[in-house]
Amino acid sequence: MNDIEPRDFIRKIIYDDLESGKHAEIVTRFPPEPNGYLHVGHVMAICLDFGVAAETGGRTFLRLDDTNPGKESPEFVEAIKDDVHWLGFDWEDRLTHASDYFDRLYESAIQLVEQGVAYVDSLSAEEIREHRGTLTESGRNSPYRDRSVEENLDLFRRMYAGEFGDGEHVLRAKIDMASPNMNMRDPAIYRIRHIPHQNAGDKWCIYPMYDYAHGMSDAYEGITHSLCTLEFEDHRPLYDWFLDQLQPEHRPRQIEFSRLNLAYTITSKRKLKALVDEGVVSGWNDPRMPTISGMRRRGYPPAALREFVKRAGVTKKDKLIEMGALETCVRDVLGETAPRRMAVLRPLKIVLTNYPEGQVELMEAMNHPGNPDFGTRELPFSRELWIEQDDFMEDAPRKFFRLKPGGEVRLRFGYIIRCDEAIKNDDGEVVELRCSYDPDTRSGTGTSDRKVKGTIHWASCAHAVDASVRLYDRLFTDANPNAAEDFHKVLNPGSLEIVAAKLEPSLASVDEAVQFERLGYFCRDSADDTVSTHVFNRIVTLRDSWAKLEKQAMQQQG
RNA sequence: UGGGGCGUAGCCAAGUGGUAAGGCAUCGGGUUUUGAUCCCGUGUACCGCAGGUUCGAAUCCUGCCGCCCCAGCCA
């Protein structure tokens, strides 16, 4: 427990409950429905649920909220488990399913019938909707609302026994059809579904609804604080109603907080699924996806995601957080942990005309400028090198301190070179540069302490490793695609660019995320990289104040 | 036009009657063989608006405005 850490309103409640002695231990749960992949929005909930319990020495359950078979599958539960673990949290032996409680839930439903607060309705779904009224008009009681306890008991048991088809009957809570809260207008508790269940097999043909199953599952597990998002605020009276009726041993408290929305991306499971199904992306774990598995494949460190939601905070105000906030967290983590390497994304060949043909020197390079513990490595240097196309400009502005005709630049960890001649093809494009190097300026050991303004990265043509590098950009062109009429219209056509890059030799085998100096952070693509074909993902670019200046200049020109 | 929430700088967010923390972004400057990192500095926030209470209000009261959620046998 840390008294200095600022506490959000939920932590205040929880710490108060601990101090007042209301609870001796905090028990929370993270309860996703296994009907899709987890995304950034869930990271907030996971960190809150597991975080607050861990901080107070409590426990957290990972509960698969699988009350709606047909939409749920074991594939999703496995993905959810992987994602939560990867994020850095452990439920130990507390992996449960709402379906683990189906027997108890059924028994308690019978109790509700016996208490006269639940009844079997035989209206069709459509009729029930008509009877529910509208936001401004109260609903009407179902003609079946006053069936006797005996008749309800008989009907409900026969629903359980499989005597009826889907939709013939439904068990409802008898509350108040005139309630201004729609959730209290006799909500359904059980529906008939003759389909097998991802965890319970084909034992059941009636399944409990979320509102009933969720609160009671919380109670069964001894959850002290049931944290969920704002849209369930209206459900709290119903959550409490079930607890009031059934009086379980433990009484959990539901507290709601706002969802976290990330700018330029979507977090609706339905829309994410559409992106996958329509082939807009390669799958749920496409590196452009805001899913946890997508961000993992992209190379975002779990610590960066945790830091991100921590900075975002827990409140009840709708959030639409800028992508830059997430990227800063990713850079902060990677900046400290990623070894530095060199790679050329868009190669332009240069020949050092005064460098001996066939000679190869090994240049010592630091693996991390701010941390000597990372050690050094050797880079082969030769007469023909690749440099970045963007690092040469024929008609360069004064402030461009990279390579230009007649100009000098330092090759990182190498020599200072001068551009003597630009060779062009028939289309007038620069295809090669003729340069000369200054032998007195070898990195570290140079006898000359000459300084030049710019330093650029490079790779030796004879030694470079070929790789396909995927450069990602935001998936949408609109800051809030969630609100767009049709998200297809705001898709960013340039969200993926693939370049044929030249890498320094050591990059042929790396498992961790690295920084390609001056470019950004990259990692091997876990799905497509093979021994023969190297495939890298750009995790995030480096901050680029030159690009910013260029952009401003462009805007000034119109 | 019913009910439930929310409104503090571009984006997040502290603050609960005593005269507006912090982070991200922005904009300057310094260091630098990554135009990165790092380090300094940088914001007149009509605290949604309008009244009121008070010596004093972002904080209390009243009215208004704006945004979000709810009419699944989804979660």
Side-chain angles (χ1 to χ4, degrees):
Chain A
M1 286 189 242
N2 188 344
D3 289 319
I4 296 148
E5 280 283 299
R7 287 178 192 166
D8 54 75
F9 80 102
I10 289 180
R11 267 177 251 256
K12 277 177 188 150
I13 291 171
I14 288 176
Y15 282 74
D16 281 351
D17 286 348
L18 239 21
E19 279 157 33
S20 71
K22 180 177 177 184
H23 296 295
E25 182 191 27
I26 299 305
V27 186
T28 60
R29 101 273 91 117
F30 172 61
E33 181 187 12
N35 69 341
Y37 283 68
L38 265 23
H39 54 68
V40 252
H42 294 108
V43 176
M44 166 79 84
I46 294 169
C47 291
L48 216 209
D49 289 327
F50 281 92
V52 80
E55 279 159 45
T56 58
R59 292 141 47 215
T60 303
F61 285 77
L62 171 59
R63 182 167 76 227
L64 285 313
D65 209 345
D66 54 356
T67 55
N68 189 17
K71 286 193 172 178
E72 300 152 0
S73 79
E75 175 204 347
F76 294 131
V77 346
E78 286 314 307
I80 287 167
K81 287 158 66 181
D82 286 348
D83 289 346
V84 174
H85 265 153
W86 176 77
L87 253 189
F89 298 100
D90 189 3
W91 54 87
E92 297 174 1
D93 60 348
R94 281 166 244 110
L95 175 71
T96 58
H97 306 76
S99 54
D100 295 338
Y101 310 121
F102 280 177
D103 288 310
R104 296 173 77 173
L105 255 7
Y106 176 65
E107 290 307 317
S108 291
I110 285 178
Q111 187 186 330
L112 290 174
V113 174
E114 287 171 342
Q115 287 174 201
V117 294
Y119 64 98
V120 172
D121 197 350
S122 306
L123 250 25
S124 68
E126 200 168 318
E127 289 167 324
I128 286 179
R129 177 163 27 87
E130 285 162 4
H131 279 71
R132 187 158 17 241
T134 68
L135 294 177
T136 53
E137 300 163 46
S138 76
R140 294 157 18 232
N141 285 169
S142 162
Y144 301 101
R145 198 173 196 263
D146 295 316
R147 287 215 254 231
S148 68
V149 167
E150 291 65 34
E151 189 182 1
N152 283 322
L153 234 27
D154 173 63
L155 252 15
F156 185 49
R157 289 196 167 119
R158 287 163 64 196
M159 280 169 64
Y160 165 79
E163 290 186 27
F164 307 112
D166 289 5
E168 275 189 60
H169 304 285
V170 62
L171 183 71
R172 290 229 259 170
K174 190 186 288 189
I175 306 179
D176 178 9
M177 289 306 292
S179 172
N181 181 345
M182 301 299 286
N183 295 300
M184 300 300 271
R185 319 247 263 226
D186 289 13
I189 303 174
Y190 266 92
R191 74 286 218 185
I192 301 172
R193 282 266 190 294
H194 286 271
I195 49 172
H197 185 278
Q198 68 91 14
N199 179 51
D202 46 20
K203 176 176 178 188
W204 298 86
C205 65
I206 57 170
Y207 294 96
M209 298 290 291
Y210 162 84
D211 286 298
Y212 173 56
H214 197 89
M216 294 312 293
S217 297
D218 284 346
Y220 298 154
E221 290 172 354
I223 303 299
T224 53
H225 303 268
S226 182
L227 313 179
C228 64
T229 41
L230 243 33
E231 66 268 30
F232 293 104
E233 217 157 12
D234 285 344
H235 294 242
R236 192 174 353 116
L238 180 54
Y239 182 98
D240 289 333
W241 186 89
F242 283 115
L243 297 174
D244 289 341
Q245 299 305 319
L246 295 165
Q247 295 292 316
E249 185 186 346
H250 298 286
R251 188 180 176 102
R253 199 237 270 215
Q254 174 179 304
I255 305 173
E256 312 83 11
F257 58 92
S258 63
R259 304 179 75 109
L260 179 158
N261 296 296
L262 230 202
Y264 293 99
T265 192
I266 55 176
T267 45
S268 139
K269 275 185 188 172
R270 201 194 93 244
K271 291 176 184 171
L272 290 174
K273 186 173 187 302
L275 290 176
V276 174
D277 292 345
E278 294 168 19
V280 174
V281 296
S282 64
W284 286 97
N285 68 344
D286 184 295
R288 290 165 294 176
M289 291 283 270
T291 51
I292 292 179
S293 54
M295 295 188 289
R296 171 167 66 225
R297 182 171 163 195
R298 171 81 168 257
Y300 286 4
L305 259 7
R306 281 185 245 121
E307 177 63 19
F308 171 61
V309 300
K310 182 179 174 186
R311 289 185 192 179
V314 179
T315 65
K316 301 190 72 158
K317 187 176 137 187
D318 293 336
K319 309 179 203 298
L320 180 61
I321 302 182
E322 293 169 342
M323 197 61 108
L326 208 204
E327 292 180 338
T328 293
C329 294
V330 173
R331 291 188 187 107
D332 284 353
V333 172
L334 259 17
E336 286 192 7
T337 61
R340 263 97 261 224
R341 291 291 182 270
M342 290 209 287
V344 178
L345 261 26
R346 297 179 180 83
L348 171 63
K349 190 178 197 174
I350 68 170
V351 178
L352 305 180
T353 52
N354 61 339
Y355 194 88
E357 240 165 297
Q359 177 174 310
V360 176
E361 285 179 274
L362 292 178
M363 305 308 217
E364 183 176 54
M366 291 177 292
N367 289 330
H368 192 120
N371 187 349
D373 293 345
F374 278 72
T376 60
R377 67 189 186 286
E378 290 181 325
L379 294 169
F381 184 93
S382 61
R383 191 169 193 265
E384 300 192 350
L385 307 168
W386 298 114
I387 66 165
E388 207 69 57
Q389 286 170 23
D390 287 349
D391 286 338
F392 173 77
M393 231 181 177
E394 252 199 310
D395 301 303
R398 304 128 288 281
K399 286 198 290 185
F400 181 86
F401 37 89
R402 273 116 97 151
L403 203 53
K404 48 191 156 191
E408 284 189 323
V409 77
R410 160 144 240 134
L411 290 177
R412 177 88 162 145
F413 304 124
Y415 296 94
I416 290 176
I417 61 167
R418 173 194 314 283
C419 175
D420 302 316
E421 183 188 2
I423 297 174
K424 299 179 181 178
N425 63 14
D426 294 341
D427 296 329
E429 297 164 335
V430 176
V431 293
E432 185 182 313
L433 263 26
R434 296 274 154 162
C435 306
S436 47
Y437 84 113
D438 179 346
D440 290 335
T441 58
R442 209 236 228 223
S443 186
T445 65
T447 52
S448 160
D449 55 356
R450 225 147 57 75
K451 299 262 184 199
V452 285
K453 186 69 177 162
T455 300
I456 64 174
H457 55 95
W458 52 274
S460 167
C461 294
H463 309 270
V465 173
D466 287 305
S468 175
V469 178
R470 297 170 178 174
L471 309 177
Y472 302 106
D473 196 0
R474 49 181 61 141
L475 252 183
F476 297 92
T477 55
D478 188 290
N480 189 8
N482 274 317
E485 349 59 59
D486 178 4
F487 71 82
H488 295 88
K489 291 179 181 164
V490 292
L491 274 169
N492 175 10
S495 62
L496 169 64
E497 182 185 0
I498 300 175
V499 295
K502 302 289 185 181
L503 319 179
E504 68 165 74
S506 72
L507 253 8
S509 58
V510 272
D511 295 319
E512 58 195 326
V514 296
Q515 181 192 97
F516 287 178
E517 293 208 28
R518 304 210 305 136
L519 297 173
Y521 296 96
F522 296 75
C523 68
R524 193 174 286 286
D525 185 79
S526 57
D528 299 334
D529 184 87
T530 64
V531 200
S532 53
T533 314
H534 299 297
V535 180
F536 281 78
N537 293 321
R538 181 172 67 195
I539 303 166
V540 66
T541 61
L542 250 32
R543 255 196 203 82
D544 189 345
S545 51
W546 168 247
K548 199 182 292 172
L549 285 174
E550 274 189 313
K551 199 176 170 187
Q552 284 170 4
M554 293 274 277
Q555 285 169 349
Q556 279 169 20
Q557 285 170 23

